[in-house]
Amino acid sequence: MKKICCLLALLLLALFEQSAAQDAEALVKKVKSRLDKVNDYTATGEMKTNVSFMKVPAAQVKVYFKKPDKIKIKNEKGISLVPKGTVSISLNHLLGGQYQVLDGGADKVEGLTVRVVKLLPLDESNEVVLSKLYIDEARLLILKAKTTTRENGTNELEMEYGKYADQALPDKIVFTFNTLEYKLPKGVTFDYDDGSQKKKQTGTADDQRGKIEITFSSYIINKGVPDEVFK
Amino acid sequence: MDVINVSHLSKQFGDIDAVTDLSFSVQEADVYGFLGQNGAGKSTTIRMLLTLITPTAGQIEIFGRNLHTHRKEILRQVGAVIERPDLYKYLSAYENLSLFAKMSGVRVQRKQLMEQLEMVGLAERAGSRVKTYSQGMKQRLGIAIALIHNPQLVILDEPVNGLDPQGIADMRNLILHLSRHLKKTVLVSSHLLNEMEQIATRMLIIDKGKKITEGSIQELFDPAKTMVEVAVENAAAAAALIKNTPWAGHLQQTDDHQLVFSLHSDQLAQLNQDLTGMGIALTAFRPVNSLEKYFLSLTGTNQHVAAFAN
Amino acid sequence: MWQLLQIELFKIFRKSRTYISFGAIAAMVIIVQMALKFDGRSYIEFILGSLKETLDIPYATILNGYFVCFIILNLLLIHIPLLIALVAGDEVAGEANMGTLRLLVSKPVSRTELMLAKFFATVVYTALLLAWMAFLSLVLSILLFGTNDLIVARSNAIEIINRNDVMWRYLAAFAYATIALTTVAALAFLLSVFAENSIGPIVSTISIVIVFTILSEMQIPLYDRTVKPYLFTSHMLGWKGFFYLKTDADGISMPGTVENLPAVLKSMGILLIYIVAFAGSALVVFKKKDILS
């Protein structure tokens, strides 16, 4: 009897998992279909860069997107040093291609219960090794995405939605990424030593992570974006 | 009135006493000759008069005022050429003159500057850089600079060094002109005794930083007084013969074959006669330049008359 | 005094060696600008090489007039002291060597006035040399390379400064650099009083600047604690402080700010003290000096 109960439990679990997986897949499909409604956009926003070795003022930037996964952050009036993994801020990129969907259960993001979904790209040559999406099921919006890449470690993307939630476009994104330590080649120049005691703690975990935060003020959606922009 | 009054002036450079307790005065319209060998302290003294060097001790008054406390107002009335006149070689004569005129506190127009250059014979080369000038031209430009602000006292330190005979004659005439016609007081240091004899009204002789003698030419020596060199076969024997005669007091120095006497020119014939009468064989009888001999007699190394040495 | 200053400036600017300095700066600046015009990208790659892997580097916009000017200042402000010493070291020693010093000092001007005039003439020369350098390195660079934000590469950080926030910093930096180089001028001026040939003061000044710069930059703890804070060369780079910005709690640069303005002003004050000390000492020594040349 015990054995039958165990077998039944296992079967139910398997069925549940399959069902959950199918739920996860369906959820991802629903989210993707929302995202697919946006063919292109030009977003205007303010970008703040927080990297241990960079002191950068807030910059007015434009973010260009074009299906399937072209994305470019541009500071048209100045200079911004943008991390190389910015393609990861394009959710379309994460949700494009072939992948296996795994249910990651539930979690909380900013106090809100979300569904966690893992995406394993089937293409072994894909730069992305694993993506973990935190999805608000009710609104079909991705609130957070953790992406593990081959070359650039793990990136994290957090999104807040507001005015453009209907188009699944965030009002604010925070993109956290890995950096290498910066060092000016020796002998190029001497710094001014102001005698203050600050000593950079190189090698700490924080120093190896950088963050850019873009707060969008407007989107121009599906009005066309020329390809030259992405060169 | 004393234009310059120096009292107990001294200057030490480390252990070296360059000038020791020097006192003298220069009167208005004097051409004051400042004589001494090389290294006697003439230039040091002149540099102290021009505030280039700070005295170790003593006092200097010029125009009746203390030099230390009235420096600017005194120097406005002083023009100087110190040793060779070094000027700004990369500037023209006109520019040098203009620059130093401004520093002397006078406003001069271009016309006045050109007149000054004309006076020293440099008007045609006014625009040429000084580095193209000969030594004589530089000397003349130095004089022009010294006189541009019409000073009452002119100090010339070795003004004829490096000049050719014409230049020397020109300098002599200039000094006489400054003194006699323009009534300026001129202090001249030199070791060209012939020149000093011709122009100086009063002089100071210094040696090893100390005053040897000071006074007018007439006070120091009667130009009628002369020195005579008497060449003999045996000076020692001749000196022994002269020892007990009145001529002993006139004997200045002896060497192997020569006796030097200082005496009035009226006595020359008598000396000649008396020496011959004593049986001293004379091979030559030569009156010499009185100032040169006077100078050397005062500043030469001490030479005792051999015959009188104990 | 004003007339004396005019006379001293006249003498400085009638000497051909003065124009060697201006010509040398022009040549150096133009050489650097031409090199960057042809291959500025290589230089930027060299500076930011360690970031190539992780960041997209917009080489074309980084290479702008403000960036080029900063590079020039970095390179040349080490060499400019020699050009300053060339004139400052000649001020008194050159006159002694030429034999004109005795003529000057025997004029009815006080030694104090004479020395002040000479020193201020040197300061004017220094300021004009800096103005010339500012014109060439900033104005000409802007004409050749345009303007954009400025990237400043520190030894372990990068600053990006908005283009609208750059110009006043350069004006402040050039003013500071004038004070820094006046310190060198004052040192050469002081050494000039002791010599009768300008080679000695010029070489001595440069030697002192080089040795002190090495001590300032060597980062040896013994020197860092003892001598470094007092060396004037440690404070000569203070102009760079105008290009270091404050950050807010999130690490974002705050435009219009200076990371440590009190420190920069303190360094400026120290340099001014050195100037007064050097020039004042020159004056005291000269007043007592016997002019034998």
Side-chain angles (χ1 to χ4, degrees), chain A residues 33-81:
Chain A
S33 69
R34 275 194 85 187
L35 292 172
D36 281 345
K37 286 180 184 158
V38 175
N39 297 319
D40 57 70
Y41 65 73
T42 302
T44 306
E46 182 186 76
M47 182 170 81
K48 291 184 182 176
T49 307
N50 188 344
V51 178
S52 61
F53 57 79
M54 282 169 63
K55 291 167 67 181
V56 182
Q60 294 300 312
V61 296
K62 281 206 157 76
V63 180
Y64 299 92
F65 165 77
K66 191 167 184 176
K67 253 183 166 174
D69 60 2
K70 284 193 187 134
I71 193 154
K72 188 86 178 178
I73 301 175
K74 265 193 176 178
N75 182 342
E76 264 148 19
K77 289 193 179 147
I79 294 170
S80 288
L81 298 178

Side-chain angles (χ1 to χ4, degrees), chain C residues 132-204:
Chain C
W132 174 239
M133 186 168 158
F135 170 75
L136 288 174
S137 60
L138 185 58
V139 174
L140 198 57
S141 293
I142 289 172
L143 290 173
L144 288 171
F145 295 91
T147 61
N148 210 309
D149 294 351
L150 169 63
I151 278 198
V152 172
R154 296 167 71 168
S155 55
N156 53 12
I158 292 173
E159 308 246 1
I160 298 182
I161 305 173
N162 283 338
R163 72 172 81 190
N164 300 326
D165 193 27
V166 172
M167 188 55 88
W168 72 267
R169 295 176 191 274
Y170 270 121
L171 294 176
F174 280 118
Y176 189 101
T178 304
I179 294 173
L181 291 171
T182 301
T183 312
V184 176
L187 172 62
F189 188 70
L190 169 61
L191 296 175
S192 186
V193 172
F194 293 99
E196 295 194 354
N197 185 304
S198 50
I199 298 290
I202 293 168
V203 171
S204 304

Side-chain angles (χ1 to χ4, degrees), chain A residues 75-95:
Chain A
N75 182 342
E76 264 148 19
K77 289 193 179 147
I79 294 170
S80 288
L81 298 178
V82 173
K84 279 200 161 162
T86 21
V87 68
S88 300
I89 73 170
S90 160
L91 297 173
N92 300 65
H93 171 75
L94 294 178
L95 295 177

Side-chain angles (χ1 to χ4, degrees), chain B residues 36-52:
Chain B
Q37 296 183 49
N38 288 335
K42 304 189 299 297
S43 286
T44 303
T45 304
I46 285 176
R47 282 174 187 251
M48 284 193 276
L49 292 177
L50 294 169
T51 69
L52 297 174

Side-chain angles (χ1 to χ4, degrees), chain A residues 143-176:
Chain A
L143 298 186
K144 190 155 109 173
K146 276 189 189 171
T147 309
T148 305
T149 63
R150 289 181 200 280
E151 301 286 335
N152 296 310
T154 302
N155 301 324
E156 209 170 285
L157 185 65
E158 293 169 64
M159 282 147 294
E160 289 174 21
Y161 296 87
K163 288 190 293 193
Y164 297 91
D166 288 344
Q167 288 88 1
L169 294 172
D171 275 8
K172 180 172 168 184
I173 61 170
V174 177
F175 180 57
T176 310

Side-chain angles (χ1 to χ4, degrees), chain B residues 208-272:
Chain B
K208 296 188 178 68
K210 293 183 183 142
K211 176 159 92 173
I212 302 298
T213 189
E214 181 196 8
S216 65
I217 299 286
Q218 286 72 26
E219 285 166 5
L220 291 180
F221 59 87
D222 182 350
K225 256 186 163 177
T226 191
M227 306 285 274
V228 59
E229 290 173 346
V230 180
V232 295
E233 283 183 1
N234 187 329
L241 286 173
I242 294 163
K243 190 176 170 179
N244 295 317
T245 71
W247 294 113
H250 293 273
L251 185 61
Q252 296 297 304
Q253 64 186 69
T254 63
D255 57 31
D256 287 346
H257 295 289
Q258 187 171 270
L259 305 169
V260 179
F261 293 90
S262 171
L263 70 176
H264 204 275
S265 51
D266 291 348
Q267 294 171 296
L268 284 172
Q270 189 63 47
L271 174 67
N272 191 5

